[in-house]
Amino acid sequence: MNTISPYLAEFLGTMIMVTIGCGVIATVELRRSKGHGDNFFTIAFGWGFAVAFGVYASHHYSGGHLNPAVSIGLAAYGEFEWAKVPGYIISQLLGAMAGATMVFLNYLPHWKATADHKIKLGVFATVPAIHNYFTNALSEIIGTFLLVFSALYVGVNFTPTLEGSALALDLNDVLKPLAFGFMVTVLVIGLGGQTGFALNPARDLGPRIMHALLPIHDKGRSRWFYAWVPVCAPIAGGMMGGSFFKLYYDGQFSIFQVISIALVLGVLAFGLWANTHMYRSKSAQIIPTAEDTEATAAAAATYVPTGKIPLVKKPAFWE
C-alpha cells in the first residue's frame, strides 16, 4: 500500500468533509436548487456522512482528525504528539478552504438566484439563530466537549480484529468512521439548533475565508465579528473533552484539565463582555410576528402618556 503523508491525508479528508457538508447546506438553502426547502435533519445527516467519508479517506494515514479541536483534544489526552498539531491544523484549514471552493463552483449559477446574504454566508460558515456571544460559545463548547469525549470512547470500544483464512478485518478502521459520523449527526440534531454547530474551527474559518475571497454574486458581509466563536469555543471544548477523558478512562490527573477549564472560563467571560461591547445582529432581539407588529403600531398611534414612565426590566447577565 502506498504511504501518504498524514498532512496530505488531513487535507484531503477535510476537503471531502467540507465539500459534502457545505454542499448539503447549499442544496437545501440556495434558491432553485432541486433540494431547496428541505429541512434541518437533511443537513444534520448530510454533515454526519460527510464527516464519516472524510474520516474513511484519511483515518488509515493520519487518524482522521479533520478538526483542530480533535487534534488538540487528542494531544491533551496524550494520544497525539503536540509537535504535529500545528501541521495538522494548517492542513485542515487548507482542506476546508479547498472544499468550500468546490461548493462555490458546483453551485455557480445559484448565487445570483439567491438574494439573501445570510443564506449565502450560511452555506460556508455558521450563523447563529439567536446572536448571543455567551450562549453561542457555551453551545459550541458543550458540543465539542461531547464530540471529542465520545470520539475517544468510540476508539476504546472498537479495537478487536476478526481474522480468518481469507479475512482480516480491523473493526476500528471499518466502524469508527461511521460511528463518528453518526455521532456528529445526533449532536447537530440534539444540540445544534442554536448555532448550527461548527464543532470545528477549520470547518468554519476556512469556508468563511473563501466567502470573503470568492467572487460570489452580491454576497454581503462575512460577519467576522462572530468568527471568534466557532474558532475559540470548539478549541476550549475539545481540549476539555480530551483532558477529562484521561481522568475518566485512565483515572489520571493532567495539567490540561486545569488549562482547559481556564480556557473555557476565559471564552465564556469574553462572550459576556462581547454581548455588551461588540456588534450583535438583530437576531439577538425578540422578533415580533406580523400580528404583533401591527398591534404595536396601532397602539403607538393612539398612545397618550399618563403617569410615570414604566421601568424596563434589566436583562439577565447573559442576555
Side-chain angles (χ1 to χ4, degrees):
M1 181 180 292
N2 184 36
T3 300
I4 296 176
S5 162
Y7 302 108
L8 177 60
E10 284 295 301
F11 171 86
L12 292 173
T14 309
M15 182 184 72
I16 291 169
M17 176 187 72
V18 171
T19 301
I20 298 173
C22 289
V24 170
I25 300 175
T27 297
V28 171
E29 297 289 353
L30 293 182
R31 295 287 180 180
R32 299 183 67 181
S33 159
K34 293 287 188 179
H36 175 67
D38 214 330
N39 56 44
F40 188 67
F41 294 98
T42 300
I43 294 174
F45 275 96
W47 263 107
F49 282 106
V51 170
F53 283 102
V55 174
Y56 273 125
S58 57
H59 179 258
H60 183 78
Y61 303 101
S62 68
H65 298 186
L66 316 185
N67 183 342
V70 171
S71 297
I72 291 171
L74 293 179
Y77 172 58
E79 193 176 278
F80 187 62
E81 299 175 42
W82 279 105
K84 293 182 179 179
V85 170
Y88 267 52
I89 291 176
I90 292 172
S91 300
Q92 292 154 0
L93 182 62
L94 292 175
M97 294 170 68
T101 302
M102 293 179 71
V103 173
F104 164 71
L105 294 173
N106 188 76
Y107 286 93
L108 203 55
H110 293 267
W111 306 111
K112 189 173 182 178
T114 305
D116 194 326
H117 298 163
K118 188 176 177 180
I119 287 176
K120 293 177 184 179
L121 175 60
V123 171
F124 292 88
T126 55
V127 178
I130 297 177
H131 187 177
N132 182 308
Y133 290 110
F134 175 80
T135 59
N136 299 154
L138 179 61
S139 179
E140 291 285 348
I141 288 170
I142 292 172
T144 317
F145 169 83
L146 291 173
L147 177 73
V148 174
F149 194 89
S150 301
L152 283 165
Y153 68 63
V154 166
V156 166
N157 291 332
F158 288 163
T159 52
T161 299
L162 298 178
E163 295 184 356
S165 58
L167 172 67
L169 180 63
D170 187 341
L171 295 182
N172 198 49
D173 286 338
V174 175
L175 297 180
K176 185 176 180 180
L178 190 61
F180 197 61
F182 275 112
M183 179 170 40
V184 170
T185 298
V186 297
L187 281 174
V188 173
I189 292 174
L191 299 173
Q194 183 184 171
T195 66
F197 261 177
L199 304 177
N200 183 337
R203 171 265 174 275
D204 189 281
L205 182 58
R208 196 182 296 269
I209 290 172
M210 298 316 299
H211 177 270
L213 295 178
L214 290 169
I216 302 167
H217 179 81
D218 191 26
K219 60 186 174 184
R221 296 184 299 171
S222 299
R223 300 197 180 198
W224 289 106
F225 53 82
Y226 178 75
W228 69 269
V229 173
V231 171
C232 298
I235 288 174
M239 179 177 283
M240 178 174 277
S243 62
F244 274 83
F245 187 81
K246 191 170 190 67
L247 182 63
Y248 163 74
Y249 186 72
D250 297 331
Q252 296 180 9
F253 172 80
S254 166
I255 187 62
F256 291 111
Q257 291 151 17
V258 177
I259 294 173
S260 67
I261 291 174
L263 187 57
V264 165
L265 293 177
V267 169
L268 294 178
F270 185 79
L272 286 176
W273 177 89
N275 274 345
T276 55
H277 292 81
M278 291 177 64
Y279 172 78
R280 283 199 287 168
S281 65
K282 292 181 180 179
S283 68
Q285 309 300 323
I286 297 175
I287 303 175
T289 63
E291 292 77 9
D292 290 338
T293 304
E294 293 170 2
T296 302
T302 58
Y303 173 69
V304 178
T306 58
K308 296 181 179 179
I309 298 175
L311 295 175
V312 178
K313 179 181 178 292
K314 184 179 180 181
F317 72 93
W318 61 81
E319 296 178 329

